[in-house]
Amino acid sequence: MADSLHIPLQPIDWDAEDVTAAIGEIVTDALASLDPVHFWPAHPKDDGLPDGTASFYFGATGMIWALDYLRQVGAISVPFDFGPVLPRLIENSRAEFAKRNYSAHGSLLFGDLGSLLLMMRLRPDAVVADQIYDRAEANISLPIRELMWGMPGSMLACLHMHDMTREARWRPLFNAQATRLLSELEDTELGPLWRQDLYGHHHRWLGPVHGYAGNMIPLLRGWSWLEEEQRALVTTIVPQTLTRNAWRTAAGINWPAIAGGTSRLCQHCHGAPGMVTTFADVPLESPGLDELLRQGGEFTWNAGPLSKGSNLCHGTGGNGYAFLKLFRRLGDATWLERARSFAMTAIAQCREERSELGRGRYTLWTGDVGLAVYLWDCLTGEPRFPTIDVF
């Protein structure tokens, strides 16, 4: 399945000590490159962004979250205090988001909603919690039904805030948004789907960043908050939609970026890896669903590591999460071995790119710290995809 989007798996044996060393290298480089005023420099591959971007997806919010998270879980023990930069981070995040089309609402990955969540994690404050509630509540009327910009992201924010505060108010807000989200499913020849209103276009995206899988993520994460009939609906429609949109090949199953489309990307944001990573968490015992997911994992393995780099969104590390999720769901150690094989190739990719540029790539979703989180999960064997499974 060799093509320009994929590279051969490097024949590097799993080495836990080298994995630990790679995490340390990433963290050391990130801390050394932090400017307390301008945060981190942009990377040439990140869509021409200016230095000092603040967002959770592309910028300092995601960087600070990942570095703090790695310390919390014991992956690193380097002392640092991000408290002094948090006010500036919120200010910059709001200034950036004000220039975007959806700035009246709460974007988890690009707006101040993500930055405020980070502040709540590091410096809990009732005023900040109220601001998060207001931003999430504003999304009830937002016509963008996808995770990056829209209502599913604010539903995740409600779940994360409940984990942090245990306040009762987050559940009714989540339930109102879940009810609206499920009510807007459309029956199509390709199964129940949402049509995304995004960037001036209307498409039925499938993946976990902009599409069907991303809308399902908060429903699966908030499973205990759903009504019984809502849970029954989800467990009924997921196998239907995955089956009807499956692109079956001798190498396994992939899913197009858009329902009925011809895109054959194989990365977390679009294609089999993200679909497997999302739906391996469906609380449904189903041999048919397990086989769909297994075949998606086979396609991801046969496609090989991604040439775009080692990152989460469209890189080798993100694809490897599909194997970790299958290991947890199916209990087959082959999937852990495959996740670790991808990890070793991703480390080589990361080191090569850092050597060429003289520094790392400083974002959570497209950069090195996202890889560091993946490497930690390969060491522990427990997948916790950043932003989604853990905050």
Side-chain angles (χ1 to χ4, degrees):
M1 289 179 61
D3 57 47
S4 62
L5 299 179
H6 297 269
I7 61 174
L9 188 71
Q10 296 198 23
I12 307 172
D13 291 337
W14 170 254
D15 184 336
E17 290 186 1
D18 193 37
V19 172
T20 301
I23 294 172
E25 292 166 12
I26 290 169
V27 171
T28 298
D29 174 62
L31 291 174
S33 298
L34 171 62
D35 183 298
V37 176
H38 302 292
F39 303 121
W40 281 274
H43 193 276
K45 292 184 179 179
D46 281 332
D47 295 349
L49 289 177
D51 293 343
T53 300
S55 73
F56 205 94
Y57 181 86
F58 264 141
T61 297
M63 286 293 297
I64 293 171
W65 175 87
L67 293 168
D68 181 73
Y69 173 75
L70 287 167
R71 184 173 60 180
Q72 283 189 38
V73 298
I76 59 173
S77 57
V78 184
F80 46 76
D81 178 16
F82 292 117
V85 306
L86 291 178
R88 183 177 294 107
L89 181 66
I90 299 295
E91 179 182 339
N92 288 12
S93 178
R94 285 175 172 160
E96 287 175 16
F97 195 51
K99 302 173 185 177
R100 297 184 178 274
N101 292 336
Y102 313 127
S103 59
H105 302 275
S107 169
L108 176 63
L109 296 184
F110 274 98
D112 63 349
L113 180 56
S115 300
L116 289 166
L117 279 167
L118 174 66
M119 181 170 276
M120 274 298 297
R121 173 64 73 194
L122 300 183
R123 299 286 174 89
D125 183 271
V127 173
V128 174
D130 289 344
Q131 291 174 342
I132 292 170
Y133 187 90
D134 291 343
R135 295 301 263 160
E137 187 180 39
N139 277 3
I140 290 179
S141 61
L142 186 65
I144 303 169
R145 295 181 294 269
E146 56 86 69
L147 186 142
M148 178 176 279
W149 299 101
M151 197 168 65
S154 64
M155 292 167 66
L156 274 178
C158 289
L159 292 164
H160 294 319
M161 283 299 293
H162 183 265
D163 288 343
M164 285 189 268
T165 68
R166 295 299 167 184
E167 292 178 336
R169 61 174 165 168
W170 302 105
R171 181 169 182 171
L173 178 54
F174 173 94
N175 289 147
Q177 296 188 351
T179 297
R180 182 198 150 194
L181 190 63
L182 286 170
S183 72
E184 293 176 347
L185 268 170
E186 302 174 16
D187 286 325
T188 78
E189 67 280 4
L190 294 173
L193 290 166
W194 287 278
R195 185 184 297 275
Q196 278 71 34
D197 177 355
L198 190 64
Y199 308 139
H201 301 285
H202 296 81
H203 295 297
R204 294 188 176 105
W205 295 91
L206 289 175
V209 176
H210 294 310
Y212 177 83
N215 290 3
M216 284 293 179
I217 283 171
L219 299 174
L220 297 176
R221 284 276 287 107
W223 194 252
S224 64
W225 283 3
L226 298 181
E227 301 293 336
E228 184 176 349
E229 58 269 25
Q230 291 175 323
R231 292 195 292 266
L233 175 63
V234 171
T235 55
T236 298
I237 65 178
V238 164
Q240 293 177 8
T241 301
L242 292 187
T243 299
R244 294 184 193 179
N245 287 278
W247 177 50
R248 300 175 186 274
T249 76
I253 289 175
N254 198 13
W255 285 268
I258 297 173
T262 58
S263 166
R264 296 294 183 247
L265 292 171
C266 181
Q267 53 198 43
H268 177 78
C269 50
H270 301 299
M275 301 297 278
V276 173
T277 297
T278 297
F279 292 110
D281 289 336
V282 173
L284 169 67
E285 293 185 10
S286 167
L289 177 60
D290 287 352
E291 181 60 16
L292 279 172
L293 299 173
R294 190 189 69 80
Q295 286 290 324
E298 291 292 346
F299 189 95
T300 304
W301 174 253
N302 288 321
L306 281 155
S307 61
K308 296 178 182 179
S310 60
N311 64 83
L312 296 180
C313 189
H314 38 260
T316 303
N319 281 22
Y321 265 107
F323 307 144
L324 286 177
K325 292 275 187 163
L326 285 171
F327 170 61
R328 185 167 68 185
R329 183 175 182 94
L330 303 179
D332 182 348
T334 299
W335 296 110
L336 178 59
E337 294 169 5
R338 289 179 171 184
R340 289 174 168 176
S341 292
F342 266 43
M344 300 310 293
T345 292
I347 290 171
Q349 289 179 285
C350 180
R351 286 171 171 165
E352 180 180 359
E353 192 167 82
R354 189 189 309 130
S355 177
E356 290 174 354
L357 193 61
R359 60 172 177 81
R361 190 172 182 178
Y362 307 120
T363 77
L364 172 59
W365 277 73
T366 67
D368 301 345
V369 291
L371 170 62
V373 175
Y374 171 66
L375 296 177
W376 176 253
D377 288 354
C378 284
L379 284 168
T380 64
E382 181 59 37
R384 297 182 179 91
F385 198 96
T387 315
I388 306 304
D389 298 324
V390 63
F391 194 97

